[in-house]
């Protein structure tokens, strides 16, 4: 009976492995990629929130300063208008413009008045001084840049411009109508130093607790606040804000960074690094898990295939003794034999084949208990040599039938060992059966029992082709069959040596294999299996051995 595997079973499984696993690995890689993207995307809302807060604060600060500018400008415009409408006024510069006004001019078709700061003393009074023709206000050259056409009467606007002489000027200008109907314009230059150091600097106080803020002019000179420093205080920094200072002083800039920007950035980098490590670790775990699942599936497929082979081989092994038992049983039952002597011979064959069948069934049952973890042993003191001899009696007929010679070498005065006799009988039968199957061409099986330091050693040697060295670690695996066995199509269940190993270890011993064995005079290689069972008496070099040979 040969093992048969349907392609319909392996096909879908292979298809699943080929299609599903690459898809799962691709999903793991995609998870890692989008995890990194998510880690970057999470940081962007934090930066955007910080910049939005800075922009809101900059607008609030600029509106506060602009409100004070509006009050100064409107106050001056009202005083100039009142002075222009007063027919009794003789001094057009007799206006207290306030600390925020540097100078002003009144321009019209019939007017040109230029007044500057500082005040000059005339007795106890403080007044602005009119400017003579040789000392004109230098900034009046900028009035051509003012948007007069867009300015309605009684409304005003600002113009922030760079002066040719250096620095900048903030001009507030308005259009007015005099009582006689003449249209004139008032242009005032506001004192930027006073605005920056008094008004703007005063408004920066509350925000300095958690931010470093600086107001810079068009030449990057510090006007108010503290210039930000550090790695983050640069354009493009993660937590760096720079923007114009409102709508009036639009040539000024506001720079802002958090007070603890370096610590905040370092903490964020640590958090991002931890996230990346976790993403990489999770990806590795997923990939490793997929690889382990892949290997588990392949292992399970191999085990399933080996079990199928095992079932087929066991079925064949059962068929041979059953066929012999049936054939000789029918011959005895029908009287087709040559007398009483032949009948006894047939009965002996039936008995031995029944024992062989029983041995095979015991192997399968023991292996089943071993697989389920329910193997049990009944230990007692006993002589291993007696167990070996009884087991060899069962195998003699098969050895004779295969025309193989059995050589038994049992040392005298062997110590008793603690063992399960039934299980040790199974060990001997399995090792001898293995030697018969795989080394029938060698013509001989050598069985020995001797002492070893701390052990009693059972050795079973064949003289066949041997086992490749690279296969030694696997010969005791369940269902494993060597390459030589498969090539020669030797029948077997593949569980005999696995049972031998398990029984030896359950007795506190071990089993080894040596192949090839090269100590024979005729250079026959073969294989030597040794089973070590713990013994209470140490080995002695003076032990004598008796050799019993039988053909």
């Amino acid at each position: 009976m040969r093992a048969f595997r349907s392609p319909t079973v392996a096909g879908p499984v292979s298809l699943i492995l080929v299609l599903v696993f690459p898809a799962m690995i691709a999903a793991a890689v995609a998870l890692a990629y989008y995890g990194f993207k998510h880690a970057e995307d999470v940081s962007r809302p934090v930066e955007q929130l910080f910049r939005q807060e800075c922009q809101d604060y900059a607008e609030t600060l600029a509106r506060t300063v602009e409100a004070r500018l509006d009050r100064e400008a409107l106050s001056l415009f009202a005083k100039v208008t009142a002075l222009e409408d007063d027919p009794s006024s003789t001094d057009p510069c007799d206006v207290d413009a306030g600390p925020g006004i540097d100078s002003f001019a009144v321009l019209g078709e019939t007017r040109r008045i230029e007044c500057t700061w500082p005040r000059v003393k005339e007795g106890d009074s403080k007044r602005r001084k009119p400017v003579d023709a040789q000392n004109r206000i230098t900034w009046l050259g900028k009035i051509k840049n003012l948007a007069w056409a867009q300015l309605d009467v009684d409304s005003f606007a600002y113009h922030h411009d760079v002066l040719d002489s250096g620095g900048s000027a903030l001009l507030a200008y308005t259009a007015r109508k005099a009582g006689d109907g003449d249209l004139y314009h008032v242009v005032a230059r506001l004192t930027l130093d006073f605005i920056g150091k008094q008004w703007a600097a005063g408004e920066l106080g509350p925000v300095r607790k958690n931010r470093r803020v600086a107001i810079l002019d068009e030449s990057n000179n510090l006007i108010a606040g503290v210039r930000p420093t550090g790695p983050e205080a640069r354009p493009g920094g993660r937590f760096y804000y720079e923007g114009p200072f409102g709508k009036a002083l639009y040539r000024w800039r506001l720079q802002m960074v958090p007070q603890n920007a370096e610590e905040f950035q370092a903490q964020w980098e640590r958090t991002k690094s931890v996230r990346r490590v976790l993403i990489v670790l999770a990806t590795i775990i997923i990939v490793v898990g997929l690889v382990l699942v892949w290997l588990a599936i392949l292992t399970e497929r191999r085990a399933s295939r080996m079990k199928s082979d095992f079932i087929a081989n066991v079925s064949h092994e059962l068929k041979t003794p059953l066929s012999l038992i049936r054939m000789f049983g029918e011959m005895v039952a029908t009287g087709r034999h040559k007398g009483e002597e032949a009948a006894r011979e047939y009965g002996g064959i039936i008995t031995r084949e029944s024992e062989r069948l029983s041995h095979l069934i015991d192997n399968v049952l023991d292996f089943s208990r071993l697989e389920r973890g329910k193997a049990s042993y009944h230990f007692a003191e006993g002589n291993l040599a007696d167990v070996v001899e009884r087991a060899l009696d069962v195998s003699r007929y098969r050895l004779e039938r295969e025309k193989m010679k059995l050589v038994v070498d049992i040392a005298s005065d062997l110590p008793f060992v603690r063992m399960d006799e039934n299980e040790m009988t199974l060990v001997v039968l399995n090792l001898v059966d293995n030697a018969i199957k795989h080394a029938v061409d060698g013509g001989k099986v050598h069985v020995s029992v001797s002492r070893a330091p701390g052990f009693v050693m059972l050795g079973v040697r064949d003289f066949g082709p041997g086992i490749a060295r690279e296969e030694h670690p696997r010969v005791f695996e369940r269902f494993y069959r060597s390459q030589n066995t498969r090539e020669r199509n030797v029948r077997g269940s593949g569980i005999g040596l696995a049972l031998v190993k398990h029984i030896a270890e359950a007795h506190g011993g071990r089993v080894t294999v040596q192949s090839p064995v090269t100590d024979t005079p005729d250079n026959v290689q073969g294989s030597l299996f040794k089973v070590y069972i713990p013994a209470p008496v140490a080995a002695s070099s003076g032990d004598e051995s008796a050799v019993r040979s039988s053909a």
Side-chain angles (χ1 to χ4, degrees), residues 163-175:
L163 299 177
D164 297 335
S165 58
S168 63
L170 177 63
L171 305 180
Y173 57 98
T174 185

Side-chain angles (χ1 to χ4, degrees), residues 370-386:
L370 178 62
E371 286 285 281
R372 291 184 284 114
K374 296 183 178 180
S376 60
Y377 299 90
H378 304 283
F379 293 99
E381 296 289 334
N383 190 338
L384 182 59
D386 295 338

